[in-house]
Amino acid sequence: MSFDVLIIGGGGAGLTAALYASRANLKTLLLEKLTPGGQIALTDIVENYPGFPEGVTGTDISMRMEEQAKKYGTEIQYEEVLALKKSSTSFQIKTAQTTYESKSVLIASGASFRMLGVPGEKELTGRGVSYCATCDGAFFKNKEIAVVGGGDSAMQEGLFLTRFVTKLSVIHRRDQLRASAILQDRAKQNPKFSFIWDTVVTRIEGNKKVENIKIKNLKTGQESDFKTDGIFVFIGHDPATKYLQGFVDLDEKGYVKTNEKLETSVPGVFAAGEVRAGAVKQLVSACGEGCEAALNAQAYVEDLELAKK
Ligand code: NAP
């Protein structure tokens, strides 16, 4: 139960950190609460990870990263971290099942999707309200749906959903998309896409499943009904850091603050990827940060060992 490096989160950052830590012969444990790959595992295709000119599916790259980390000795447990504590020479990491001990900790718990927070959303989640196109898209074959958000996720996941649906209406709170130019172009050229600008969803309605949403034009203030079979919400993410409150310094949005070594306010605790304040939210940069944080954790553990002698 005692490790050199304990990594929290099995997305791109965590799995890359695990690969580097294991290859440095550090006893490495990775804790993941859901599936390996994190957000990438829920993505249909990754087109901007170097070395894959044809693109690679999110599932494929996640499984390969996991396999590669395990090949060099990383132990992976599927457990959610509830709290961390520090003693003079080590950290205690508590999960629902047990408490682990580690000389260093690497936080790579990423972020979880943001909800709209409107009436009807929670009640109808899984009954027409979804946050994952690859998980739920097939349930909407030949249906008409709404997609909320104007970023890369909304465009990319919307494009994936056009395989199933007959019509897709993007509801965006401004009149300009945030998504990258290439995804904007593809969406705008797709005949199944239409756009409802300057508009937010105020309520989701339906008896047993989604039937209607109330939308409001922010420029005119006008509210209207919009009949739909489903609503996919892609409005960004919030950092998964509740379990870290009071343990390391977080910024005002809840992201983990780090220095140039990717070390947090607690020496021996590092952070990488989307959970980190200032991170660029891309798979390739998450992996790069995972590598950097693991190398710095390695140096920290080596210094601890030297100090003991
Ligand atoms: P994002 O870039 O933060 O975009 C969120 C979108 O939702 C924005 O258009 C935002 O509107 C809107 N929004 C936020 N809160 C809202 C609310 N309460 N109500 C209504 N609309 C709201 O999030 P993302 O698209 O999930 O992307 C996250 C990161 O992952 C980004 O860095 C993105 O580049 C990256 N990503 C990359 C790819 C790719 O490279 N292919 C794919 C997916 C994600 P405003 O524009 O008005 O703020």
Side-chain angles (χ1 to χ4, degrees), residues 48 114 116 148-154 156 172-174 178 183 234-237 281-282:
N48 51 8
R114 193 175 288 151
L116 286 168
V148 188
D152 280 333
S153 297
Q156 179 157 330
H172 183 36
R173 64 183 179 182
R174 290 187 295 137
R178 180 179 289 279
L183 290 175
F234 303 111
I235 58 168
H237 302 93
K281 293 160 185 166
Q282 299 294 318

Side-chain angles (χ1 to χ4, degrees), residues 82-262:
L82 303 177
L84 290 97
K85 265 199 211 159
K86 182 177 166 49
S87 63
S88 59
T89 52
S90 66
F91 297 95
Q92 291 77 46
I93 301 93
K94 186 179 175 341
T95 69
Q97 286 81 357
T98 187
T99 298
Y100 297 98
E101 179 115 354
S102 183
K103 290 175 191 154
S104 67
V105 174
L106 203 153
I107 298 163
S109 44
S112 37
F113 58 77
R114 193 175 288 151
M115 295 175 75
L116 286 168
V118 298
E121 182 179 24
K122 271 196 188 144
E123 296 84 337
L124 292 166
T125 292
R127 292 191 283 145
V129 179
S130 174
Y131 307 86
C132 176
T134 50
C135 316
D136 299 330
F139 296 121
F140 294 86
K141 208 165 180 201
N142 300 324
K143 306 266 186 201
E144 294 190 9
I145 60 161
V147 164
V148 188
D152 280 333
S153 297
M155 296 310 113
Q156 179 157 330
E157 303 309 305
L159 286 160
F160 172 76
L161 288 166
T162 59
R163 295 181 194 187
F164 308 104
V165 303
T166 51
K167 191 174 173 223
L168 180 154
S169 306
V170 173
I171 299 172
H172 183 36
R173 64 183 179 182
R174 290 187 295 137
D175 62 0
Q176 275 184 350
L177 297 172
R178 180 179 289 279
S180 55
I182 187 165
L183 290 175
Q184 287 201 30
D185 289 348
R186 281 190 208 159
K188 285 176 179 168
Q189 280 162 22
N190 189 304
K192 290 187 178 175
F193 264 73
S194 65
F195 293 87
I196 303 173
W197 303 110
D198 302 310
T199 298
V200 291
V201 175
T202 55
R203 175 181 283 275
I204 302 173
E205 297 173 333
N207 195 3
K208 289 193 172 135
K209 57 184 185 53
V210 171
E211 290 159 15
N212 183 64
I213 56 179
K214 294 246 184 248
I215 55 175
K216 181 177 178 181
N217 184 301
L218 293 176
K219 284 202 169 145
T220 62
Q222 194 182 340
E223 288 200 72
S224 49
D225 287 311
F226 186 84
K227 299 271 169 239
T228 186
D229 298 310
I231 170 168
F232 282 78
V233 180
F234 303 111
I235 58 168
H237 302 93
D238 293 314
T241 52
K242 268 200 188 126
Y243 67 100
L244 292 170
Q245 274 164 16
F247 182 69
V248 292
D249 287 353
L250 306 176
D251 74 3
E252 66 288 352
K253 289 185 176 159
Y255 290 92
V256 180
K257 288 188 187 176
T258 55
N259 62 16
E260 70 285 352
K261 286 204 244 164
L262 305 190

Side-chain angles (χ1 to χ4, degrees), residues 44-58 60-61:
D44 169 38
I45 190 143
V46 180
E47 289 181 324
N48 51 8
Y49 194 82
F52 295 92
E54 311 301 330
V56 55
T57 68
D60 194 16
I61 196 162

Side-chain angles (χ1 to χ4, degrees), residues 6-22:
L6 186 143
I7 298 164
I8 304 170
L15 287 170
T16 309
L19 172 65
Y20 273 77
S22 302

Side-chain angles (χ1 to χ4, degrees), residues 249-292:
D249 287 353
L250 306 176
D251 74 3
E252 66 288 352
K253 289 185 176 159
Y255 290 92
V256 180
K257 288 188 187 176
T258 55
N259 62 16
E260 70 285 352
K261 286 204 244 164
L262 305 190
E263 193 169 34
T264 68
S265 54
V266 177
V269 180
F270 300 82
E274 194 164 348
V275 76
R276 197 181 69 76
V280 178
K281 293 160 185 166
Q282 299 294 318
L283 176 59
V284 67
S285 55
C287 294
E289 288 189 12
C291 157
E292 197 179 339

